[in-house]
Amino acid sequence: MTPVNDLVSAALAARQHAHAPFSKFLVGAALEDSSGRVHSGCNVENATYGLTVCAERVAIFKAISEGVRVFRRIAVAADTDNLTPPCGACRQIIWEFCGDIEVILVNLGGKSETIRMKDLFPRPFDVSYL
Ligand code: THU
């Protein structure tokens, strides 16, 4: 298991790579897989705005594209006093690919909070309905 501080550091480091010229809102994510490997992501905006991809989904899609399928937890870093939670689209994707994992929210001041996905995203729609 990756020490939680290492996961938080990876999310903070990924945040530095955020491409957010429109919102200026930089976000980093670090996703730990079942072997302890960490997959990082940052938000990537574009001129249409709507095609923006959040840090969490970048991290998940990077991992999926490398054949990884089982995940333990994800850290999300942003520069807000009120800790930034994943958006609705990211909650759906985190749920579908990671299930009821821990989500560790952190800011630049060292504040953090850990929430389980089942609490962050109650009554999800998923493959069980199809
Ligand atoms: N954003 C993320 O990357 N993750 C979140 O959890 C919240 C929002 C990004 C999307 C957009 O680039 C910027 O933050 C402002 O919404």
Side-chain angles (χ1 to χ4, degrees):
M1 195 114 132
T2 309
V4 70
N5 284 346
D6 290 0
L7 200 64
V8 166
S9 297
L12 289 165
R15 182 181 166 275
Q16 303 288 348
H17 299 299
H19 179 73
F22 307 106
S23 73
K24 318 264 195 246
F25 191 82
L26 283 60
V27 185
L31 175 67
E32 183 188 11
D33 71 24
S34 59
S35 73
R37 186 173 155 209
V38 174
H39 308 264
S40 65
C42 62
N43 53 329
V44 183
E45 299 183 347
N46 93 322
T48 69
Y49 293 21
L51 295 179
T52 291
V53 187
C54 294
E56 297 91 324
R57 276 176 286 150
V58 169
I60 291 169
F61 294 155
K62 278 174 65 188
I64 293 294
S65 74
E66 293 181 9
V68 182
R69 289 293 184 272
V70 185
F71 303 100
R72 275 188 196 141
R73 48 192 182 164
I74 187 169
V76 181
D79 186 16
T80 54
D81 291 333
N82 189 14
L83 295 169
T84 299
C87 76
C90 287
R91 290 178 202 206
Q92 179 70 32
I93 296 298
I94 296 169
W95 179 263
E96 288 199 43
F97 285 108
C98 310
D100 184 30
I101 61 167
E102 285 183 345
V103 181
I104 303 153
L105 309 178
V106 299
N107 70 10
L108 304 196
K111 184 176 173 186
S112 85
E113 183 185 344
T114 301
I115 317 174
R116 294 207 70 94
M117 272 306 291
K118 70 173 168 44
D119 299 319
L120 201 54
F121 196 49
R123 202 167 174 179
F125 174 78
D126 60 24
V127 67
S128 67
Y129 291 94
L130 300 178

